[in-house]
C-alpha cells in the first residue's frame, strides 16, 4: 500500500480572513463550508473548482494566537505551480495583498538547483511556499549549504 497526501488541514483564527487569502489571492475554490453544533467553530474545504471535487486544504477556525514555527507540527506547506512564470504571477498578487515574504523574489531550492520558488506567510503566519520544478537555475540560493525551504 502506498500513501499519498489527501489534503492538508490548517487551524486558523479567522475563517473569513483566511478564506479571502486562500480564495482571492491564491485562487482556491471553496468546495464547502460548515460549522459545529454550537456555531462557534467553522470550517471550509478548498480545492480546484474543476476536477474530482476533492479538497486540497481544509481551514479550521479553532486557533488562537499566531503560528509558531518553533513548536512541533507543520513546518511549511509547499504548493507547486506549472512554471516559474506562474510563481512570479503569484508573487505579484501576494505583494499586492501585503503578504510578508522570507526572501526577495524567486529563489532556488539550493545552489545550482533548477527548482525554486517564493516563501511567504499567510494571515496567521503559517509558512507557505509556491515553487516550480524548473526555471530557477539563475536565481540565488539564500542558504547555500542547506535547502532553502528548510530554514525560513
Amino acid at each position: 500500500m502506498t500513501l499519498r497526501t489527501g489534503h492538508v488541514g490548517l487551524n486558523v483564527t479567522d475563517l473569513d480572513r483566511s478564506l479571502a487569502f486562500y480564495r482571492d489571492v491564491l485562487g482556491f475554490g471553496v468546495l464547502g463550508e460548515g460549522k459545529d453544533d454550537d456555531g462557534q467553530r467553522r470550517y471550509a474545504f478548498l480545492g480546484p473548482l474543476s476536477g474530482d471535487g476533492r479538497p486540497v486544504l481544509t481551514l479550521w477556525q479553532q486557533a488562537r494566537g499566531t503560528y509558531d514555527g518553533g513548536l512541533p507540527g507543520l513546518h511549511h506547506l509547499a504548493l507547486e505551480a506549472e512554471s516559474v512564470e506562474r510563481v512570479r504571477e503569484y508573487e505579484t498578487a501576494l505583494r499586492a495583498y501585503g503578504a510578508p515574504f522570507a526572501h526577495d523574489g524567486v529563489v532556488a531550492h539550493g545552489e545550482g538547483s533548477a527548482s525554486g520558488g517564493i516563501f511567504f506567510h499567510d494571515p496567521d503566519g503559517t509558512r507557505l511556499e509556491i515553487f516550480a520544478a524548473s526555471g530557477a537555475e539563475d536565481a540565488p540560493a539564500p542558504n547555500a549549504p542547506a535547502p532553502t525551504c528548510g530554514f525560513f
Side-chain angles (χ1 to χ4, degrees):
M1 179 172 127
T2 301
L3 296 175
R4 65 182 177 88
T5 302
H7 67 273
V8 175
L10 299 176
N11 282 340
V12 300
T13 57
D14 181 331
L15 185 62
D16 294 325
R17 179 180 70 172
S18 291
L19 276 174
F21 177 79
Y22 285 96
R23 180 191 60 223
D24 302 343
V25 181
L26 297 184
F28 283 99
V30 178
L31 304 177
E33 291 183 67
K35 56 187 170 187
D36 64 1
D37 288 338
D38 65 9
Q40 296 301 307
R41 295 182 300 177
R42 299 170 46 217
Y43 61 89
F45 299 120
L46 307 179
L49 291 174
S50 60
D52 61 11
R54 291 177 31 192
V56 173
L57 285 174
T58 56
L59 303 177
W60 302 94
Q61 182 177 288
Q62 59 184 3
R64 289 179 214 76
T66 60
Y67 175 82
D68 185 341
L71 296 176
L74 178 73
H75 180 274
H76 76 285
L77 173 60
L79 304 165
E80 186 173 2
E82 60 274 7
S83 68
V84 75
E85 290 78 24
R86 187 69 178 116
V87 172
R88 288 189 176 101
E89 290 173 11
Y90 280 111
E91 178 188 8
T92 299
L94 288 158
R95 290 200 185 279
Y97 173 83
F101 280 76
H103 307 292
D104 188 29
V106 172
V107 295
H109 278 141
E111 195 66 38
S113 175
S115 65
I118 55 175
F119 298 83
F120 57 97
H121 302 268
D122 81 356
D124 285 306
T126 301
R127 296 182 291 204
L128 300 169
E129 168 188 0
I130 297 177
F131 74 96
S134 62
E137 294 87 351
D138 297 325
N143 300 306
T148 299
C149 64
F151 301 106
F152 78 99

